[in-house]
Amino acid sequence: MAGLFREGAPAADVERVADEFLASEAVLQIGEGAKGPRYTTQRIWELEQSALATAEQMRAEGPSPAGELVAARVLHAHPTLKDDQREMVKRLLTDTEGLSIVIGEAGTGKSYAIVTAAEGWAQAEMELHVAAPTWRAANVLRAEGLRATSVASLLGDLERAEQAREGLLTWRSVLLVDEAGMVDTATLSRLIHHVDQANAKLVLVGDPEQLGEIEAGGLFRALAERSDPIFLDEVIRHRHEADREAAKLIRAGEGTEALDLYRSEERVVVAPDAQARREAMVAEWHEAFDAGEDAVMVAKRNVEVERLNAMARALRQEAGQLGEREIEVGEARFAAGDLIITRVNDRAADIYNRERWQVAEVDAQERRVVLQGIDQPRTVEVDADYLARTNPHSDAPALEHAYAVTTYSAQGTTVDRAFLAADPSMDKQELYVAASRSRGETTIYAMPEIQVERDEFAPGDLYLREGIPHIAEASERDRAQRAAHDEALRCELRKQPTGELLSRRTEIRRDAGAEANADRRHADSQRWVGQMEEQLEHAVAMREAVEALPRKERRAEIGAALAREGSTREALAKGRAEVREQPPAASHQARAELPIAEQVLAERRQQAITAAKLAPPDYIVKELGERPSDPEKRKAWDRGVAGIEGYRQEHGITDRDSALGKEPLGGIERSAWNEQRSRLAEQQRTLQMQQEHSASHDLGQDFGHDMGIGM
């Protein structure tokens, strides 16, 4: 449709063409959401359907693994691996499944674990192919010694090999895709097809809670939710526990708690307006940069990034930190000392999109710039031809300043200090990526949100909302792409009343547990067969060694060697027979349905909490009183409301007079009731105490008091 209106068009024409497209056979309506019908295309639906079915088969049976002995050797050679890294390496080298999913949180050391697994596959004489969605991400893996390429380049090679009837992948191949959450559905489905056709092994490494694909996506998340993923969740990037815990809270959707933690560490700056926020960010960034730290400012919008870059560069120029000779690229000027990112790939020069550099030398007359790598330590020279090029997808110039970068540019980057311009249009994924970049401290900069015509506060007037709550709400807003099949299921579950959905969730949990147990039994059997195969290889080698001995020694030992080999063969045959007699590998449908049911219930819980805050029911007022104006007491009141509404939903309480309903007679229900009553009592004690206002760092404190804004 975009191609029809390159020069723009009246809204009525756009709506007409959109309606015609939605009514065509190319489009499917998969459900009805809160904002109206939900659609996907017939092509995406069929691609997902095929990929999910193929993935199910690949999990049931895959190629022979590297084996227990190989895993033991490489783990012994890498004693510094963390427990979760060791588990990842062991499972990748020993699991018999054709598809393995690794979910690695930001900063958990997945690259080191991947390199260790690669050593094991090499020892087992298995051919490893490594790819990432961008050349920049692939280059990170190449710096670790892996022969990585881009997903697009690899897929092109696979397609050409298929057309030529030549096998690029074999049954001894492993295809590992890093940052798989950024691979779109169409591409990922094709990769699954090629790996399945070759009976090879596919390893997908990523994090569905970080920024995802730009095209139609959600397939990686759907695959993960239908499997038993390997988790890397012990974060080692951050030096401070507060940064580690806050990033985890944002990832888990608990943004309010994360913001409270940042505030307790004086890492939140509330400025009265956008310009004051920029000035504060640039000043603190410059102080960190001058102290020798690798520091970066992060913002969502390109226009904000441009303004921060202009201010930071002007500050450095005034301080005499940039060279006098400048060169113009696009609409910006660059001098020696400037921090930049490249926006155009040039494989021959080893330069990739969104990599960070510092300008070392400028020759405006020859149109030549020498760059020193920040992300990777190397020096390159770019010429007039490169500088004249633009990014084929965004038309961005070859070079851009990088004192500040967008959240998408920040993903995959690790720095010493991060300064984040947060705004209410962001979501959980964007804030999580930004908050998980730094080894050291992350500082968040906010400002009051201007809202119009909020009838519950001041009809017809501007309403200035304090700087923290709207950022906390943004950090709890989940905009991750979902597979069309999962979105259809979500729409179906949304039709069920809460009571029915709670009952359905109980059934799903039971079925999911049965699926997981069946998978474990199947995996244990397969693993045992693999161990017996290795023992048989050893027994055969021992027998052959005995047969090579002189006759007298051979006669003395051949009987025992043959007996060992015979008993091992017998045990292996018995184990293989037991595996064949086992029922087919368990379906993963319940495990796919469970997180979606949980999400629908969480949406309803949040809606109930929001409604209770705006118009507290009698049972809330009875337990907690009206919502206080004091910030600290208000936080306790909000926590109390969230606890009450969460308990009421979880236990099906409909009593409008009692917050927690009647006290249960006994068992687990009584224990849960007592636990919630205890938490409620603690919040009641807090509400009765006189507490001082938070001492969080606040540039707009006087402004806030003048405007009546709680800071």
Side-chain angles (χ1 to χ4, degrees):
M1 191 189 301
L4 295 175
F5 302 121
R6 291 188 182 278
E7 304 301 324
D13 290 347
V14 176
E15 290 177 1
R16 174 183 53 78
V17 174
D19 288 341
E20 291 174 357
F21 177 66
L22 292 176
S24 71
E25 294 182 355
V27 177
L28 293 174
Q29 181 175 338
I30 57 177
E32 191 81 23
K35 297 182 179 180
R38 304 285 292 172
Y39 299 97
T40 189
T41 64
Q42 184 75 35
R43 173 175 173 268
I44 291 298
W45 183 266
E46 292 174 355
L47 285 173
E48 281 186 9
Q49 195 170 45
S50 175
L52 292 172
T54 302
E56 197 73 32
Q57 296 170 1
M58 292 170 68
R59 291 191 195 95
E61 185 175 359
S64 298
E68 298 276 351
L69 291 177
V70 170
R73 282 198 295 267
V74 297
L75 290 174
H76 180 74
H78 294 273
T80 60
L81 286 167
K82 302 181 286 100
D83 288 345
D84 57 351
Q85 291 174 317
R86 296 179 68 83
E87 178 65 15
M88 170 182 164
V89 173
K90 182 178 179 181
R91 282 189 58 181
L92 289 180
L93 296 179
T94 61
D95 277 358
T96 59
E97 295 182 350
L99 172 63
S100 294
I101 305 285
V102 179
I103 296 180
E105 295 183 21
T108 52
K110 63 181 175 62
S111 295
Y112 184 52
I114 289 172
V115 170
T116 304
E119 293 179 15
W121 285 315
Q123 289 183 24
E125 298 183 346
M126 301 175 76
E127 185 180 32
L128 176 63
H129 300 262
V130 181
T134 65
W135 276 108
R136 176 194 177 196
N139 204 36
V140 172
L141 297 171
R142 290 166 63 190
E144 299 289 342
L146 299 173
R147 294 179 58 189
T149 185
S150 73
V151 167
S153 179
L154 173 67
L155 187 58
D157 292 341
L158 291 170
E159 303 283 2
R160 284 188 290 273
E162 183 178 59
Q163 292 173 4
R165 299 180 182 274
E166 298 174 354
L168 182 62
L169 301 176
T170 72
W171 66 277
R172 297 294 291 168
S173 297
V174 176
L175 171 55
L176 186 146
V177 181
D178 194 18
E179 302 287 358
M182 298 184 72
V183 181
D184 65 90
T185 291
T187 300
L188 189 51
S189 66
R190 290 300 298 161
L191 292 175
I192 291 171
H193 163 78
H194 286 293
V195 174
D196 177 59
Q197 290 296 301
N199 194 30
K201 183 177 181 66
L202 177 62
V203 179
L204 302 177
V205 183
D207 184 1
E209 301 306 331
Q210 295 189 51
L211 294 172
E213 50 292 271
I214 296 174
E215 303 292 334
L219 183 56
F220 174 73
R221 180 187 290 271
L223 292 168
E225 290 175 348
R226 288 164 172 78
S227 67
D228 180 20
I230 304 166
F231 287 97
L232 283 180
D233 54 10
E234 185 182 339
V235 179
I236 56 177
R237 173 177 293 164
H238 305 297
R239 290 195 290 265
H240 304 295
E241 182 61 31
D243 293 273
R244 185 179 299 113
E245 181 63 22
K248 277 185 167 289
L249 285 169
I250 294 174
R251 186 182 187 278
E254 299 175 7
T256 300
E257 289 79 0
L259 266 292
D260 286 344
L261 182 54
Y262 279 123
R263 293 182 78 182
S264 71
E265 296 290 321
E266 298 187 346
R267 304 275 193 79
V268 178
V269 177
V270 181
D273 55 47
Q275 184 59 24
R277 183 175 70 172
R278 294 182 198 113
E279 291 171 358
M281 285 185 69
V282 171
E284 294 202 36
W285 170 85
H286 193 245
E287 182 180 346
F289 184 79
D290 277 356
E293 293 185 284
D294 180 9
V296 69
M297 295 177 283
V298 182
K300 175 178 179 174
R301 302 180 188 279
N302 285 325
V303 65
E304 186 67 12
V305 167
E306 290 170 4
R307 288 168 179 164
L308 289 168
N309 274 323
M311 291 175 66
R313 188 173 192 270
L315 189 60
R316 295 199 66 213
Q317 207 164 27
E318 291 172 7
Q321 297 173 337
L322 300 180
E324 294 183 3
R325 290 186 294 178
E326 293 187 332
I327 188 170
E328 188 171 333
V329 181
E331 297 181 358
R333 303 188 69 81
F334 301 88
D338 264 320
L339 304 185
I340 64 105
I341 56 172
T342 44
R343 295 305 315 277
V344 176
N345 289 328
D346 189 327
R347 292 176 60 185
D350 202 22
I351 300 171
Y352 303 99
N353 184 31
R354 300 188 189 277
E355 282 191 311
R356 296 188 305 146
W357 309 79
Q358 185 162 22
V359 177
E361 183 182 338
V362 165
D363 187 334
Q365 185 173 357
E366 295 292 330
R367 300 278 306 161
R368 182 178 63 87
V369 180
V370 177
L371 305 174
Q372 291 181 333
I374 297 175
D375 296 321
Q376 301 293 334
R378 64 187 191 279
T379 301
V380 300
E381 180 178 310
V382 295
D383 57 16
D385 177 66
Y386 180 86
L387 296 176
R389 294 160 63 186
T390 59
N391 185 288
H393 303 292
S394 65
D395 290 330
L399 306 183
E400 291 181 339
H401 291 117
Y403 304 105
V405 297
T406 64
T407 48
Y408 267 93
S409 290
Q411 181 154 304
T413 298
T414 302
V415 297
D416 296 326
R417 291 281 302 278
F419 304 90
L420 168 61
D423 69 64
S425 71
M426 299 179 83
D427 55 38
K428 181 182 81 170
Q429 287 74 27
E430 291 169 319
L431 283 158
Y432 174 55
V433 165
S436 58
R437 297 305 96 201
S438 66
R439 302 181 188 91
E441 297 180 354
T442 296
T443 304
I444 296 176
Y445 297 80
M447 59 186 182
E449 179 190 17
I450 299 177
Q451 299 180 330
V452 181
E453 295 184 355
R454 292 292 297 270
D455 290 340
E456 66 271 25
F457 294 103
D461 293 335
L462 290 179
Y463 165 64
L464 282 170
R465 191 178 184 208
E466 59 183 294
I468 303 302
H470 68 284
I471 301 302
E473 289 176 10
S475 66
E476 294 174 356
R477 186 183 301 122
D478 189 348
R479 289 191 183 136
Q481 284 206 59
R482 306 279 172 180
H485 283 71
D486 288 349
E487 190 60 34
L489 178 58
R490 184 204 297 268
C491 292
E492 190 63 32
L493 292 177
R494 278 177 173 155
K495 298 176 184 177
Q496 298 185 15
T498 299
E500 292 182 14
L501 185 54
L502 286 168
S503 298
R504 174 63 185 146
R505 186 187 61 177
T506 300
E507 297 174 3
I508 298 170
R509 282 177 171 172
R510 182 195 62 222
D511 294 344
E515 289 176 4
N517 288 333
D519 268 359
R520 278 192 288 271
R521 288 193 298 271
H522 185 74
D524 288 344
S525 298
Q526 293 277 29
R527 191 174 296 111
W528 187 84
V529 167
Q531 291 172 350
M532 295 308 299
E533 288 173 342
E534 290 181 350
Q535 290 184 27
L536 178 59
E537 290 180 11
H538 182 68
V540 169
M542 291 292 292
R543 186 255 303 161
E544 291 174 346
V546 169
E547 288 177 340
L549 293 173
R551 179 184 297 179
K552 185 176 181 180
E553 296 178 31
R554 182 174 68 243
R555 187 180 300 160
E557 298 187 28
I558 191 64
L562 288 170
R564 271 196 305 272
E565 181 180 345
S567 62
T568 304
R569 286 187 184 279
E570 183 179 344
L572 177 59
K574 182 179 179 182
R576 285 173 172 168
E578 290 177 355
V579 170
R580 285 194 298 271
E581 292 169 4
Q582 283 182 345
S587 163
H588 297 77
Q589 184 56 39
R591 275 173 285 181
E593 191 173 344
L594 181 57
I596 299 173
E598 296 282 15
Q599 290 155 13
V600 173
L601 287 169
E603 289 171 1
R604 294 182 184 175
R605 183 165 57 251
Q606 189 57 49
Q607 290 167 1
I609 292 169
T610 301
K613 288 180 181 179
L614 293 175
D618 290 341
Y619 60 80
I620 294 287
V621 177
K622 184 188 298 184
E623 296 287 356
L624 301 172
E626 297 288 348
R627 194 168 191 245
S629 58
D630 178 87
E632 290 302 316
K633 290 187 177 182
R634 188 164 61 241
K635 284 194 294 185
W637 191 90
D638 288 348
R639 285 195 296 270
V641 169
I644 289 172
E645 293 301 332
Y647 178 88
R648 288 174 69 86
Q649 182 197 78
E650 189 70 21
H651 298 276
I653 306 300
T654 58
D655 190 338
R656 304 303 298 176
D657 297 320
S658 174
L660 306 183
K662 293 182 179 180
E663 183 177 355
L665 295 177
I668 296 175
E669 291 290 318
R670 181 181 176 85
S671 176
W673 189 91
N674 285 331
E675 184 178 348
Q676 182 57 41
R677 172 54 64 185
S678 176
R679 285 198 292 265
L680 188 55
E682 178 63 31
Q683 284 141 8
Q684 289 168 338
R685 285 192 291 272
T686 301
L687 289 169
Q688 293 167 2
M689 294 170 61
Q690 184 66 36
Q691 295 199 13
E692 297 180 357
H693 285 267
S694 170
S696 74
H697 187 185
D698 185 354
L699 289 181
Q701 188 173 34
D702 293 336
F703 172 86
H705 287 312
D706 292 342
M707 298 299 297
I709 302 170
M711 305 303 278

